[in-house]
Amino acid sequence: LTRAPPGGAAAAATARAAEWEADIRATAGFVAAFEAVRDAGAPVVVHNGGGDVAHCLAAFAGRLPPSLPAFKAMVDAWFPGGVYDTKAMAEAAPHGDGGRRGGGGTSLRALFDSVVEAGDAVTPTLAPGCERYAVALASAAGTDAGEHEAGFDALLTAVAFAGLAARGMAARDPAPAPA
């Protein structure tokens, strides 16, 4: 132990608190991204992502509620722009065609291929460093060039969502979650 100069103990405590806060912010940095999505009211688009949404809420928003209505209210509070699941959208497609004109599955690649084949796809602009995704986007269905990489799957999900939305399949349930 040493004697601190006047104000030294307070300054040391302030420095420790700042370091502790910086460590928490670095550790929980994704919470800021989560909050930014919430605060912007941006929609969240996933493919077969119900479990992912629940896991993220448990990790970044706190303990999950014990009931489905309370969970839905939590989802609505954290994602006011809505959560859109392209697999669920395709499964709910009119005519039971899985979101594909002419039938087919609801896998991410099948949905992507269907919107491209139907002419409903948007043409994404790829960020620098992602040029290799252009090759994978153009590859024949069934290849695994890029699939299951987070960035590539996010790209396929976005294109599939835009195509499904162009077909009028992106309407949200207008009823709020029960309290």
Side-chain angles (χ1 to χ4, degrees), residues 95-127:
H95 314 298
D97 69 355
R100 293 189 56 157
R101 293 187 175 153
T106 59
S107 72
L108 180 54
R109 189 62 194 223
L111 288 177
F112 172 83
D113 289 341
S114 78
V115 299
V116 170
E117 291 164 9
D120 294 333
V122 297
T123 303
T125 301
L126 300 176

PDB file of all heavy atoms in Angstrom, residues 95-127:
ATOM      1  N   HIS A  95     -50.718 -21.314 -53.214  1.00  0.00           N
ATOM      2  CA  HIS A  95     -50.639 -22.443 -54.142  1.00  0.00           C
ATOM      3  C   HIS A  95     -49.693 -23.530 -53.656  1.00  0.00           C
ATOM      4  O   HIS A  95     -49.421 -24.456 -54.402  1.00  0.00           O
ATOM      5  CB  HIS A  95     -50.237 -22.000 -55.560  1.00  0.00           C
ATOM      6  CG  HIS A  95     -50.983 -20.800 -56.034  1.00  0.00           C
ATOM      7  ND1 HIS A  95     -52.358 -20.807 -56.193  1.00  0.00           N
ATOM      8  CD2 HIS A  95     -50.572 -19.565 -56.364  1.00  0.00           C
ATOM      9  CE1 HIS A  95     -52.751 -19.615 -56.603  1.00  0.00           C
ATOM     10  NE2 HIS A  95     -51.691 -18.841 -56.712  1.00  0.00           N
ATOM     11  N   GLY A  96     -49.171 -23.387 -52.445  1.00  0.00           N
ATOM     12  CA  GLY A  96     -48.329 -24.440 -51.881  1.00  0.00           C
ATOM     13  C   GLY A  96     -47.080 -24.736 -52.688  1.00  0.00           C
ATOM     14  O   GLY A  96     -46.588 -25.846 -52.692  1.00  0.00           O
ATOM     15  N   ASP A  97     -46.562 -23.737 -53.391  1.00  0.00           N
ATOM     16  CA  ASP A  97     -45.404 -23.991 -54.247  1.00  0.00           C
ATOM     17  C   ASP A  97     -44.073 -23.699 -53.567  1.00  0.00           C
ATOM     18  O   ASP A  97     -43.043 -23.647 -54.215  1.00  0.00           O
ATOM     19  CB  ASP A  97     -45.507 -23.222 -55.560  1.00  0.00           C
ATOM     20  CG  ASP A  97     -45.371 -21.708 -55.387  1.00  0.00           C
ATOM     21  OD1 ASP A  97     -45.286 -21.242 -54.226  1.00  0.00           O
ATOM     22  OD2 ASP A  97     -45.344 -21.012 -56.405  1.00  0.00           O
ATOM     23  N   GLY A  98     -44.088 -23.482 -52.254  1.00  0.00           N
ATOM     24  CA  GLY A  98     -42.839 -23.242 -51.537  1.00  0.00           C
ATOM     25  C   GLY A  98     -42.165 -21.955 -51.947  1.00  0.00           C
ATOM     26  O   GLY A  98     -40.970 -21.797 -51.797  1.00  0.00           O
ATOM     27  N   GLY A  99     -42.937 -21.020 -52.492  1.00  0.00           N
ATOM     28  CA  GLY A  99     -42.356 -19.755 -52.903  1.00  0.00           C
ATOM     29  C   GLY A  99     -41.724 -19.810 -54.276  1.00  0.00           C
ATOM     30  O   GLY A  99     -41.258 -18.824 -54.797  1.00  0.00           O
ATOM     31  N   ARG A 100     -41.704 -20.977 -54.864  1.00  0.00           N
ATOM     32  CA  ARG A 100     -41.093 -21.136 -56.187  1.00  0.00           C
ATOM     33  C   ARG A 100     -42.193 -21.218 -57.218  1.00  0.00           C
ATOM     34  O   ARG A 100     -43.132 -21.974 -57.076  1.00  0.00           O
ATOM     35  CB  ARG A 100     -40.264 -22.413 -56.246  1.00  0.00           C
ATOM     36  CG  ARG A 100     -39.058 -22.365 -55.350  1.00  0.00           C
ATOM     37  CD  ARG A 100     -38.183 -23.535 -55.594  1.00  0.00           C
ATOM     38  NE  ARG A 100     -37.848 -23.545 -57.015  1.00  0.00           N
ATOM     39  CZ  ARG A 100     -36.795 -24.139 -57.516  1.00  0.00           C
ATOM     40  NH1 ARG A 100     -35.967 -24.768 -56.736  1.00  0.00           N
ATOM     41  NH2 ARG A 100     -36.554 -24.121 -58.807  1.00  0.00           N
ATOM     42  N   ARG A 101     -42.051 -20.475 -58.234  1.00  0.00           N
ATOM     43  CA  ARG A 101     -42.976 -20.607 -59.357  1.00  0.00           C
ATOM     44  C   ARG A 101     -42.634 -21.919 -60.030  1.00  0.00           C
ATOM     45  O   ARG A 101     -41.507 -22.136 -60.446  1.00  0.00           O
ATOM     46  CB  ARG A 101     -42.829 -19.423 -60.302  1.00  0.00           C
ATOM     47  CG  ARG A 101     -43.289 -18.157 -59.629  1.00  0.00           C
ATOM     48  CD  ARG A 101     -43.314 -16.995 -60.574  1.00  0.00           C
ATOM     49  NE  ARG A 101     -43.882 -15.859 -59.865  1.00  0.00           N
ATOM     50  CZ  ARG A 101     -43.623 -14.612 -60.146  1.00  0.00           C
ATOM     51  NH1 ARG A 101     -42.818 -14.302 -61.128  1.00  0.00           N
ATOM     52  NH2 ARG A 101     -44.178 -13.655 -59.459  1.00  0.00           N
ATOM     53  N   GLY A 102     -43.604 -22.788 -60.103  1.00  0.00           N
ATOM     54  CA  GLY A 102     -43.350 -24.090 -60.693  1.00  0.00           C
ATOM     55  C   GLY A 102     -42.976 -25.133 -59.657  1.00  0.00           C
ATOM     56  O   GLY A 102     -42.629 -26.246 -59.999  1.00  0.00           O
ATOM     57  N   GLY A 103     -43.040 -24.793 -58.374  1.00  0.00           N
ATOM     58  CA  GLY A 103     -42.770 -25.769 -57.324  1.00  0.00           C
ATOM     59  C   GLY A 103     -41.313 -25.782 -56.915  1.00  0.00           C
ATOM     60  O   GLY A 103     -40.487 -25.078 -57.461  1.00  0.00           O
ATOM     61  N   GLY A 104     -40.984 -26.589 -55.935  1.00  0.00           N
ATOM     62  CA  GLY A 104     -39.612 -26.718 -55.477  1.00  0.00           C
ATOM     63  C   GLY A 104     -39.530 -26.603 -53.983  1.00  0.00           C
ATOM     64  O   GLY A 104     -40.526 -26.512 -53.294  1.00  0.00           O
ATOM     65  N   GLY A 105     -38.307 -26.590 -53.492  1.00  0.00           N
ATOM     66  CA  GLY A 105     -38.081 -26.597 -52.059  1.00  0.00           C
ATOM     67  C   GLY A 105     -37.943 -25.217 -51.474  1.00  0.00           C
ATOM     68  O   GLY A 105     -38.038 -24.210 -52.162  1.00  0.00           O
ATOM     69  N   THR A 106     -37.704 -25.204 -50.184  1.00  0.00           N
ATOM     70  CA  THR A 106     -37.563 -23.938 -49.464  1.00  0.00           C
ATOM     71  C   THR A 106     -36.158 -23.748 -48.917  1.00  0.00           C
ATOM     72  O   THR A 106     -35.946 -22.895 -48.058  1.00  0.00           O
ATOM     73  CB  THR A 106     -38.579 -23.849 -48.304  1.00  0.00           C
ATOM     74  OG1 THR A 106     -38.362 -24.938 -47.411  1.00  0.00           O
ATOM     75  CG2 THR A 106     -40.006 -23.856 -48.816  1.00  0.00           C
ATOM     76  N   SER A 107     -35.202 -24.540 -49.408  1.00  0.00           N
ATOM     77  CA  SER A 107     -33.827 -24.294 -48.982  1.00  0.00           C
ATOM     78  C   SER A 107     -33.416 -22.911 -49.484  1.00  0.00           C
ATOM     79  O   SER A 107     -33.997 -22.378 -50.439  1.00  0.00           O
ATOM     80  CB  SER A 107     -32.876 -25.352 -49.547  1.00  0.00           C
ATOM     81  OG  SER A 107     -32.691 -25.157 -50.943  1.00  0.00           O
ATOM     82  N   LEU A 108     -32.419 -22.343 -48.883  1.00  0.00           N
ATOM     83  CA  LEU A 108     -31.994 -21.003 -49.260  1.00  0.00           C
ATOM     84  C   LEU A 108     -31.582 -20.958 -50.727  1.00  0.00           C
ATOM     85  O   LEU A 108     -31.976 -20.064 -51.474  1.00  0.00           O
ATOM     86  CB  LEU A 108     -30.854 -20.535 -48.349  1.00  0.00           C
ATOM     87  CG  LEU A 108     -30.308 -19.144 -48.616  1.00  0.00           C
ATOM     88  CD1 LEU A 108     -31.417 -18.093 -48.608  1.00  0.00           C
ATOM     89  CD2 LEU A 108     -29.242 -18.806 -47.584  1.00  0.00           C
ATOM     90  N   ARG A 109     -30.789 -21.930 -51.153  1.00  0.00           N
ATOM     91  CA  ARG A 109     -30.348 -21.909 -52.552  1.00  0.00           C
ATOM     92  C   ARG A 109     -31.521 -22.099 -53.506  1.00  0.00           C
ATOM     93  O   ARG A 109     -31.584 -21.465 -54.559  1.00  0.00           O
ATOM     94  CB  ARG A 109     -29.268 -22.971 -52.787  1.00  0.00           C
ATOM     95  CG  ARG A 109     -28.615 -22.871 -54.156  1.00  0.00           C
ATOM     96  CD  ARG A 109     -27.921 -21.507 -54.280  1.00  0.00           C
ATOM     97  NE  ARG A 109     -27.564 -21.199 -55.638  1.00  0.00           N
ATOM     98  CZ  ARG A 109     -26.396 -20.673 -55.995  1.00  0.00           C
ATOM     99  NH1 ARG A 109     -25.471 -20.420 -55.097  1.00  0.00           N
ATOM    100  NH2 ARG A 109     -26.155 -20.390 -57.240  1.00  0.00           N
ATOM    101  N   ALA A 110     -32.483 -22.973 -53.166  1.00  0.00           N
ATOM    102  CA  ALA A 110     -33.651 -23.182 -54.028  1.00  0.00           C
ATOM    103  C   ALA A 110     -34.459 -21.899 -54.155  1.00  0.00           C
ATOM    104  O   ALA A 110     -34.923 -21.549 -55.254  1.00  0.00           O
ATOM    105  CB  ALA A 110     -34.521 -24.316 -53.486  1.00  0.00           C
ATOM    106  N   LEU A 111     -34.631 -21.164 -53.048  1.00  0.00           N
ATOM    107  CA  LEU A 111     -35.372 -19.899 -53.120  1.00  0.00           C
ATOM    108  C   LEU A 111     -34.619 -18.872 -53.948  1.00  0.00           C
ATOM    109  O   LEU A 111     -35.209 -18.166 -54.772  1.00  0.00           O
ATOM    110  CB  LEU A 111     -35.635 -19.346 -51.717  1.00  0.00           C
ATOM    111  CG  LEU A 111     -36.666 -20.099 -50.898  1.00  0.00           C
ATOM    112  CD1 LEU A 111     -36.768 -19.481 -49.505  1.00  0.00           C
ATOM    113  CD2 LEU A 111     -38.008 -20.091 -51.580  1.00  0.00           C
ATOM    114  N   PHE A 112     -33.318 -18.772 -53.724  1.00  0.00           N
ATOM    115  CA  PHE A 112     -32.510 -17.847 -54.513  1.00  0.00           C
ATOM    116  C   PHE A 112     -32.639 -18.169 -55.994  1.00  0.00           C
ATOM    117  O   PHE A 112     -32.905 -17.298 -56.817  1.00  0.00           O
ATOM    118  CB  PHE A 112     -31.043 -17.913 -54.071  1.00  0.00           C
ATOM    119  CG  PHE A 112     -30.128 -17.127 -54.952  1.00  0.00           C
ATOM    120  CD1 PHE A 112     -29.981 -15.766 -54.765  1.00  0.00           C
ATOM    121  CD2 PHE A 112     -29.438 -17.738 -55.990  1.00  0.00           C
ATOM    122  CE1 PHE A 112     -29.146 -15.027 -55.594  1.00  0.00           C
ATOM    123  CE2 PHE A 112     -28.602 -17.010 -56.814  1.00  0.00           C
ATOM    124  CZ  PHE A 112     -28.458 -15.647 -56.618  1.00  0.00           C
ATOM    125  N   ASP A 113     -32.451 -19.442 -56.345  1.00  0.00           N
ATOM    126  CA  ASP A 113     -32.539 -19.838 -57.749  1.00  0.00           C
ATOM    127  C   ASP A 113     -33.919 -19.528 -58.322  1.00  0.00           C
ATOM    128  O   ASP A 113     -34.040 -19.097 -59.469  1.00  0.00           O
ATOM    129  CB  ASP A 113     -32.215 -21.322 -57.914  1.00  0.00           C
ATOM    130  CG  ASP A 113     -30.738 -21.627 -57.689  1.00  0.00           C
ATOM    131  OD1 ASP A 113     -29.905 -20.694 -57.757  1.00  0.00           O
ATOM    132  OD2 ASP A 113     -30.420 -22.803 -57.425  1.00  0.00           O
ATOM    133  N   SER A 114     -34.968 -19.725 -57.520  1.00  0.00           N
ATOM    134  CA  SER A 114     -36.315 -19.486 -58.038  1.00  0.00           C
ATOM    135  C   SER A 114     -36.554 -18.012 -58.350  1.00  0.00           C
ATOM    136  O   SER A 114     -37.183 -17.698 -59.357  1.00  0.00           O
ATOM    137  CB  SER A 114     -37.379 -20.003 -57.062  1.00  0.00           C
ATOM    138  OG  SER A 114     -37.566 -19.134 -55.968  1.00  0.00           O
ATOM    139  N   VAL A 115     -36.046 -17.109 -57.507  1.00  0.00           N
ATOM    140  CA  VAL A 115     -36.275 -15.692 -57.801  1.00  0.00           C
ATOM    141  C   VAL A 115     -35.429 -15.239 -58.981  1.00  0.00           C
ATOM    142  O   VAL A 115     -35.858 -14.389 -59.759  1.00  0.00           O
ATOM    143  CB  VAL A 115     -36.087 -14.769 -56.566  1.00  0.00           C
ATOM    144  CG1 VAL A 115     -37.070 -15.126 -55.458  1.00  0.00           C
ATOM    145  CG2 VAL A 115     -34.676 -14.785 -56.037  1.00  0.00           C
ATOM    146  N   VAL A 116     -34.256 -15.841 -59.141  1.00  0.00           N
ATOM    147  CA  VAL A 116     -33.427 -15.513 -60.305  1.00  0.00           C
ATOM    148  C   VAL A 116     -34.101 -16.021 -61.574  1.00  0.00           C
ATOM    149  O   VAL A 116     -34.251 -15.287 -62.553  1.00  0.00           O
ATOM    150  CB  VAL A 116     -32.004 -16.093 -60.150  1.00  0.00           C
ATOM    151  CG1 VAL A 116     -31.217 -15.976 -61.446  1.00  0.00           C
ATOM    152  CG2 VAL A 116     -31.265 -15.384 -59.014  1.00  0.00           C
ATOM    153  N   GLU A 117     -34.519 -17.284 -61.552  1.00  0.00           N
ATOM    154  CA  GLU A 117     -35.151 -17.891 -62.732  1.00  0.00           C
ATOM    155  C   GLU A 117     -36.436 -17.169 -63.120  1.00  0.00           C
ATOM    156  O   GLU A 117     -36.760 -17.064 -64.299  1.00  0.00           O
ATOM    157  CB  GLU A 117     -35.439 -19.370 -62.473  1.00  0.00           C
ATOM    158  CG  GLU A 117     -34.189 -20.219 -62.383  1.00  0.00           C
ATOM    159  CD  GLU A 117     -34.441 -21.581 -61.742  1.00  0.00           C
ATOM    160  OE1 GLU A 117     -35.621 -21.957 -61.519  1.00  0.00           O
ATOM    161  OE2 GLU A 117     -33.448 -22.266 -61.454  1.00  0.00           O
ATOM    162  N   ALA A 118     -37.179 -16.673 -62.133  1.00  0.00           N
ATOM    163  CA  ALA A 118     -38.444 -15.993 -62.403  1.00  0.00           C
ATOM    164  C   ALA A 118     -38.255 -14.536 -62.804  1.00  0.00           C
ATOM    165  O   ALA A 118     -39.213 -13.854 -63.150  1.00  0.00           O
ATOM    166  CB  ALA A 118     -39.349 -16.079 -61.175  1.00  0.00           C
ATOM    167  N   GLY A 119     -37.027 -14.054 -62.734  1.00  0.00           N
ATOM    168  CA  GLY A 119     -36.780 -12.656 -63.065  1.00  0.00           C
ATOM    169  C   GLY A 119     -37.153 -11.693 -61.959  1.00  0.00           C
ATOM    170  O   GLY A 119     -37.276 -10.489 -62.181  1.00  0.00           O
ATOM    171  N   ASP A 120     -37.335 -12.209 -60.745  1.00  0.00           N
ATOM    172  CA  ASP A 120     -37.716 -11.374 -59.604  1.00  0.00           C
ATOM    173  C   ASP A 120     -36.524 -10.935 -58.766  1.00  0.00           C
ATOM    174  O   ASP A 120     -36.681 -10.280 -57.748  1.00  0.00           O
ATOM    175  CB  ASP A 120     -38.687 -12.135 -58.682  1.00  0.00           C
ATOM    176  CG  ASP A 120     -40.018 -12.416 -59.337  1.00  0.00           C
ATOM    177  OD1 ASP A 120     -40.412 -11.650 -60.230  1.00  0.00           O
ATOM    178  OD2 ASP A 120     -40.664 -13.414 -58.952  1.00  0.00           O
ATOM    179  N   ALA A 121     -35.319 -11.318 -59.160  1.00  0.00           N
ATOM    180  CA  ALA A 121     -34.133 -11.045 -58.349  1.00  0.00           C
ATOM    181  C   ALA A 121     -33.635  -9.628 -58.561  1.00  0.00           C
ATOM    182  O   ALA A 121     -33.720  -9.084 -59.657  1.00  0.00           O
ATOM    183  CB  ALA A 121     -33.021 -12.026 -58.681  1.00  0.00           C
ATOM    184  N   VAL A 122     -33.120  -9.050 -57.499  1.00  0.00           N
ATOM    185  CA  VAL A 122     -32.395  -7.791 -57.595  1.00  0.00           C
ATOM    186  C   VAL A 122     -30.951  -8.134 -57.939  1.00  0.00           C
ATOM    187  O   VAL A 122     -30.497  -9.243 -57.699  1.00  0.00           O
ATOM    188  CB  VAL A 122     -32.451  -6.993 -56.270  1.00  0.00           C
ATOM    189  CG1 VAL A 122     -33.869  -6.600 -55.927  1.00  0.00           C
ATOM    190  CG2 VAL A 122     -31.825  -7.774 -55.133  1.00  0.00           C
ATOM    191  N   THR A 123     -30.255  -7.197 -58.525  1.00  0.00           N
ATOM    192  CA  THR A 123     -28.843  -7.399 -58.817  1.00  0.00           C
ATOM    193  C   THR A 123     -28.042  -6.699 -57.734  1.00  0.00           C
ATOM    194  O   THR A 123     -28.020  -5.469 -57.688  1.00  0.00           O
ATOM    195  CB  THR A 123     -28.485  -6.831 -60.201  1.00  0.00           C
ATOM    196  OG1 THR A 123     -29.318  -7.455 -61.169  1.00  0.00           O
ATOM    197  CG2 THR A 123     -27.021  -7.097 -60.529  1.00  0.00           C
ATOM    198  N   PRO A 124     -27.429  -7.464 -56.852  1.00  0.00           N
ATOM    199  CA  PRO A 124     -26.712  -6.830 -55.749  1.00  0.00           C
ATOM    200  C   PRO A 124     -25.405  -6.194 -56.214  1.00  0.00           C
ATOM    201  O   PRO A 124     -24.766  -6.663 -57.148  1.00  0.00           O
ATOM    202  CB  PRO A 124     -26.444  -7.981 -54.791  1.00  0.00           C
ATOM    203  CG  PRO A 124     -26.427  -9.193 -55.654  1.00  0.00           C
ATOM    204  CD  PRO A 124     -27.372  -8.915 -56.788  1.00  0.00           C
ATOM    205  N   THR A 125     -25.034  -5.117 -55.551  1.00  0.00           N
ATOM    206  CA  THR A 125     -23.718  -4.513 -55.734  1.00  0.00           C
ATOM    207  C   THR A 125     -22.845  -5.058 -54.622  1.00  0.00           C
ATOM    208  O   THR A 125     -23.177  -4.917 -53.445  1.00  0.00           O
ATOM    209  CB  THR A 125     -23.807  -2.975 -55.636  1.00  0.00           C
ATOM    210  OG1 THR A 125     -24.703  -2.519 -56.633  1.00  0.00           O
ATOM    211  CG2 THR A 125     -22.441  -2.345 -55.813  1.00  0.00           C
ATOM    212  N   LEU A 126     -21.767  -5.696 -54.992  1.00  0.00           N
ATOM    213  CA  LEU A 126     -20.905  -6.331 -54.006  1.00  0.00           C
ATOM    214  C   LEU A 126     -19.862  -5.343 -53.497  1.00  0.00           C
ATOM    215  O   LEU A 126     -19.293  -4.572 -54.269  1.00  0.00           O
ATOM    216  CB  LEU A 126     -20.229  -7.555 -54.610  1.00  0.00           C
ATOM    217  CG  LEU A 126     -21.182  -8.642 -55.100  1.00  0.00           C
ATOM    218  CD1 LEU A 126     -20.402  -9.765 -55.774  1.00  0.00           C
ATOM    219  CD2 LEU A 126     -22.021  -9.188 -53.966  1.00  0.00           C
ATOM    220  N   ALA A 127     -19.632  -5.388 -52.221  1.00  0.00           N
ATOM    221  CA  ALA A 127     -18.628  -4.530 -51.600  1.00  0.00           C
ATOM    222  C   ALA A 127     -17.232  -4.975 -52.008  1.00  0.00           C
ATOM    223  O   ALA A 127     -17.019  -6.152 -52.339  1.00  0.00           O
ATOM    224  CB  ALA A 127     -18.771  -4.592 -50.078  1.00  0.00           C
TER     225      ALA A 127
END
